[in-house]
Amino acid sequence: MRMMRPSRRAMLAPFGALALLLFVTAPASAGCPKLLMFDGTNFHTQATDEQAAYWGDTVGVQGFFVNRVMASWQDDVGTRTDSKLWRQLGLFQSIYARHGVADNFIKVALYKPIDWRDGDALKQVVRNFSHAAALARHAGLKGIAIDLEPYEPTWVDSGELSATVQAEASAIAEAMRTAYPQMTLVVIKDALHQNYPHTPLDELVSKFGTDPGPSRHFWHGGYALAIPFLHGLLSADWAHVVVATEVTYDGADMAAPVRQTQRNYEVFMGAEQAGRSGLSVAPGLWPLGHSYTDKSARDTPPAFAEHLRSAYSAAKDYVWIYGYGSAWQTDGPYGEAPVTPDFPQYTAAIHAMRASCTTRAADPHMRRQAR
C-alpha cells in the first residue's frame, strides 16, 4: 500500500498550541540531541527512498537501532564487503542518510542463550562483534548498540563465572574498537538499575558489589552477571558511550533520572574513564504500541509532547523511542495494523520539538535567556 505523506503544515496544524509550548520551553543546549527509533524498519526490505522519506520526513526520526543485521551474539556478518548483507546495509545507510536518518546503529540482542563455560563459543562471539563493528564502519553507521535485556537466561549469578564474563566483555570491547576506533557504543537497558530494581536511583551507588537477591525474583534470572560484563565492556577507551535508559518511559520529568543515571555510571566507570568516553545518557520514550497488532497509544498526544520536551531538555546526544515493532507504521514489517487514529499529532510533536530546539540552539540570545 502506498503511503501518503502529509505536508509539514498539515501535520502541525492540529498541534499549533503545543508546538508553540515546545518552542517556548526548548532546551538551552549548544546543540540538539538526535532522535532514534528502536525497531520500526527492516533494512532488508525497506531500503527505498519512499520508506526513508516516511521515517525521516514524515515521522522525523534521525536514526535507528537496526535489527536483523547481527540479531544475536552467535550471528556472524562475515568480512566480505561484496556479500549481500554488507551491500544491503550500505544501501540502507546511504538512502536513509539522504533523508536525515543518518545516526544508525547495529543492534545486537540476547535472543539466544550464552554458554559462559564454552571457551570456543566465546571466542567466536568476540569475532562476531569484531566483524559487526567492521561492517558498521564500512557501511557508514555510527556504531553498535548492545541490548542487555536477557530474552534467554544470560546473567544468572554464578560467582565462579564473574571473571570469565568480565574477560569476555573486555575482549568484545577491544575487538570492536580495533575494527572501528571511532564508533559510538550504545548500551540499551540500564543494567545497574535492573540489578537492583527496587533501589531508588539516588541510592544505587551504595548497592554496587552487593548481592541483588535471589535470581528467581527476576525475569530470566536477573542481571547479576551483567555487572562484571559492564565492568569489562566499559573499561575500554571508547570514543563515545551512550547509556539508553528505560527509567524515563513513564515520567514527564526526565532531568532528575537522566542526571542520576549519568552520575551512577560515572561512579561505576570512574570519573576519568567516563570523561574520556564522552559518557551520556539517552532517555527513552514509549508512546505507542501495546503489541505487534495493537498499535494504540500509551501516551496522549499532549503527554507525548511534554515527555518529548522533557527528554530533549535532559539529553545531551540522543533521545530514543521504543517503537514496539511497527507501532509507527500501518504496513510495517513487524505487523500490519492501523496506527492510532490521532497519529499525525505524534509526528507533529516531533517536528515541533526539533524545529524549536534547532532555532534555540542557533540563537545565542535565546540560549542566554533560558539560563
Side-chain angles (χ1 to χ4, degrees), residues 1 3 5 40-41 45-57 95-96 99 101 329 331-333:
M1 179 176 71
M3 297 170 296
R5 295 193 297 272
T41 191
T45 60
Q46 293 193 311
T48 66
D49 273 299
E50 183 180 26
Q51 291 290 339
Y54 176 76
W55 288 108
D57 303 334
I95 292 175
Y96 275 63
H99 295 271
V101 190
Q329 189 175 32
D331 54 352

Side-chain angles (χ1 to χ4, degrees), residues 17 19 35 55 60 80 130 134 190 223 241-242 280 315 328 333 341 349 354 366:
L35 182 63
W55 288 108
R80 289 183 51 189
S130 173
D190 177 0
Y223 285 81
V241 172
V242 177
S280 66
W328 289 74
R354 286 184 54 187
M366 295 181 72

Side-chain angles (χ1 to χ4, degrees), residues 235-293:
S235 64
D237 288 328
W238 294 105
H240 188 198
V241 172
V242 177
V243 177
T245 183
E246 299 176 359
V247 299
T248 51
Y249 273 172
D250 297 319
D253 182 11
M254 300 187 188
V258 166
R259 185 168 53 247
Q260 187 60 54
T261 301
Q262 175 89 21
R263 172 60 178 162
N264 291 342
Y265 276 84
E266 287 173 351
V267 172
F268 181 78
M269 296 171 65
E272 183 179 349
Q273 177 67 10
R276 283 200 305 267
S277 69
L279 174 71
S280 66
V281 175
L285 297 87
W286 182 4
L288 300 177
H290 293 268
S291 71
Y292 279 1
T293 55

Side-chain angles (χ1 to χ4, degrees), residues 195-220:
N195 202 42
Y196 311 98
H198 304 299
T199 301
L201 279 176
D202 59 357
E203 298 177 15
L204 201 60
V205 170
S206 66
K207 293 287 188 178
F208 291 170
T210 65
D211 185 355
S215 62
R216 66 178 179 274
H217 293 165
F218 298 94
W219 173 257
H220 282 323

Side-chain angles (χ1 to χ4, degrees), residues 287-298 324-332 334-340:
L288 300 177
H290 293 268
S291 71
Y292 279 1
T293 55
D294 179 1
K295 303 180 184 181
S296 59
R298 297 179 78 249
Y324 208 129
S326 292
W328 289 74
Q329 189 175 32
T330 296
D331 54 352
Y334 293 87
E336 295 187 9
V339 294
T340 188

Side-chain angles (χ1 to χ4, degrees), residues 33 252 254 283 285 306-316 318-319:
M254 300 187 188
L285 297 87
E306 171 57 23
H307 292 173
L308 195 64
R309 184 210 61 79
S310 184
Y312 266 68
S313 296
K316 176 184 176 184
Y318 292 108
V319 173

Side-chain angles (χ1 to χ4, degrees), residues 11 14 19 38 62 77 91-92 109 188 196 223 277 281 292 305 330 359:
M11 289 189 297
F38 184 114
Q62 295 160 285
V77 302
L91 178 65
F92 171 87
I188 302 174
Y196 311 98
Y223 285 81
S277 69
V281 175
Y292 279 1
T330 296
T359 300

